[in-house]
Amino acid sequence: MAKPKTLAEHLECHEVSRRGFLKFCTLTTSILALPPSMIPTVARALEKARRPSVIWLSFQECTGCTESLTRSHSPTLENLIFNYLSLDYHHTLQAASGEAAEQARAAAMADNYGQYLVAVDGSIPVKDGGVYSTIAGISNLEMLKQTVEGAAAVIAIGSCAAFGGLPHAHPNPTGAVPVQELVHDKPVVNVSGCPPIPVVISGVLAHYLTFGRIPDLDGYGRPLSFFGTSIHDRCYRRPFYNKGLFAETFDDEGAKNGWCLFKLGCKGPTSYNACATAKWNQGTSFPIQSGHGCIGCSEPHFWDAGGFYQPLSAGIGGVGTLAGVAVVAGAAAGTAAGLVHHAKRKQAQRQHEKVTVADLKETGS
Ligand code: FSX
């Protein structure tokens, strides 16, 4: 078998221009939240990188995660990155079907043993031996076990794979569980969201490609660089929140003036994701910008928690009887414990940034 090529060699074979490569490096640097001065260093690191093989497994899900990824338009990072990876198996996107598809999975596992990445979307049914979802004659449970065995790391894409999601919601008739309940001997990255933001999926892959390791994670196993701050922290409606200006219904003057949606059930203060900064549809908008509160789809148990249109808590800083900024500031953090938690996340994020820059210096020497 031919020795795997470095990215630089692969690009040369495929006649990708230097300009195209540097564009990719610029996007990667930006998505990794590194300063523009790091672009040459990222370029040096990527030139030497080897294209990782990615095996993508889809289990109990609605295909929204793949839909999300494919909603990107050229020339975005999402499109570029698939030139920089070897996506060897993906039920929805691959041309092969039936036995040929399964042969592709087997070949990718054998050829890249110990080095390939497994991306999983959807949860895994384990009740009654996993009979409730099968592919190619084997249960999802068996396919996950087989495929993960020789993997370097696993990326759980979407809230179903990360936390169980909709299939896991009460009464969970198939006994659906997330990847992290079944995989204990490999690193697992949770890219939650229902669906997850495409640039977050590609950002995690870009991080692995650049540094050869998974990114630093929060307490729920999510990459800190995308899940390190709450939606509320980055929300452009935050100044209205701080002033105590809230929409009370979806069609009142407050709503028309773009005031805060907290009283309409927005879960931004307790939801961690990059929607307010990365946004959707090539940075066009995100739910809050479109007039609907955040439903917290990237947090565990969000389906069972429900209450999409109920304020987080009537007592959370006394928003019902607003007396001024100080009161609302209390709601911003939720509780003193929330503030401590938030500070810890910030500290971890700063640490992460230091580590990634240091790693790059090493890799790109
Ligand atoms: Fe789940 Fe994804 Fe929601 Fe759907 O693959 S996270 S139901 S968007 O499709 O798994």
Side-chain angles (χ1 to χ4, degrees):
M1 195 203 93
K3 201 178 165 191
K5 290 173 182 151
T6 63
L7 190 53
E9 287 164 351
H10 174 83
L11 295 176
E12 202 183 325
C13 282
H14 288 76
E15 297 178 355
V16 173
S17 68
R18 183 73 187 161
R19 187 191 170 106
F21 173 66
L22 288 175
K23 193 170 185 178
F24 175 80
C25 294
T26 306
L27 283 165
T28 303
T29 308
S30 148
I31 200 66
L32 296 177
L34 294 169
S37 60
M38 294 299 289
I39 294 170
T41 315
V42 169
R44 282 197 297 278
L46 282 175
E47 272 173 336
K48 290 180 193 166
R50 293 190 185 277
R51 289 173 76 233
S53 166
V54 178
I55 299 175
W56 187 302
L57 307 175
S58 297
F59 296 143
Q60 288 195 132
E61 40 82 34
C62 74
T63 313
C65 300
T66 292
E67 285 283 346
S68 173
L69 190 62
T70 55
R71 282 291 183 270
S72 59
H73 295 270
S74 183
T76 61
L77 181 62
E78 288 73 40
N79 286 337
L80 281 168
I81 201 160
F82 286 112
N83 289 325
Y84 292 72
L85 301 170
S86 179
L87 186 60
D88 292 325
Y89 184 85
H90 188 303
H91 299 157
T92 314
L93 302 179
Q94 71 192 137
S97 61
E99 284 179 14
E102 290 312 305
Q103 279 165 11
R105 181 170 66 94
M109 287 159 57
D111 294 348
N112 305 286
Y113 192 86
Q115 295 182 315
Y116 60 86
L117 292 176
V118 176
V120 179
D121 64 349
S123 57
I124 304 97
V126 297
K127 193 173 165 190
D128 299 329
V131 297
Y132 297 107
S133 181
T134 61
I135 297 164
I138 58 170
S139 68
N140 294 170
L141 191 59
E142 178 59 23
M143 184 174 274
L144 179 71
K145 203 171 130 194
Q146 277 180 10
T147 316
V148 160
E149 207 251 320
V154 183
I155 307 174
I157 312 251
S159 292
C160 296
F163 303 130
L166 187 58
H168 175 82
H170 182 77
N172 190 3
T174 66
V177 298
V179 171
Q180 62 190 349
E181 279 193 28
L182 299 171
V183 177
H184 303 291
D185 57 349
K186 308 279 175 185
V188 176
V189 183
N190 286 329
V191 181
S192 60
C194 187
I197 302 172
V199 82
V200 178
I201 302 172
S202 48
V204 170
L205 294 170
H207 187 284
Y208 189 83
L209 184 62
T210 309
F211 299 110
R213 67 168 179 83
I214 63 166
D216 290 341
L217 308 175
D218 74 1
Y220 288 126
R222 304 176 295 193
L224 266 174
S225 46
F226 297 104
F227 294 88
T229 53
S230 71
I231 302 289
H232 185 62
D233 282 343
R234 299 293 178 91
C235 181
Y236 75 103
R237 296 193 191 220
R238 179 66 177 266
F240 293 113
Y241 181 91
N242 290 347
K243 287 180 190 161
L245 296 172
F246 297 92
E248 305 274 347
T249 66
F250 282 107
D251 59 355
D252 67 5
E253 276 309 298
K256 286 173 192 161
N257 290 330
W259 290 356
C260 176
L261 301 170
F262 183 92
K263 289 189 177 182
L264 292 171
C266 182
K267 304 296 181 288
T270 54
S271 301
Y272 289 78
N273 206 339
C275 299
T277 46
K279 300 190 179 177
W280 293 80
N281 299 319
Q282 300 176 79
T284 304
S285 186
F286 72 113
I288 293 170
Q289 192 172 343
S290 303
H292 193 285
C294 166
I295 61 171
C297 75
S298 56
E299 298 303 307
H301 309 299
F302 91 99
W303 286 112
D304 282 336
F308 291 167
Y309 298 102
Q310 281 165 8
L312 278 167
S313 164
I316 194 169
V319 169
T321 54
L322 283 175
V325 175
V327 172
V328 184
T335 60
L339 272 174
V340 171
H341 181 59
H342 184 68
K344 277 187 179 163
R345 275 179 184 273
K346 290 256 185 211
Q347 192 185 20
Q349 194 176 10
R350 281 195 295 274
Q351 184 60 29
H352 163 70
E353 279 157 15
K354 268 190 230 159
V355 169
T356 42
V357 171
D359 283 353
L360 261 185
K361 280 180 182 155
E362 237 173 62
T363 322
S365 59

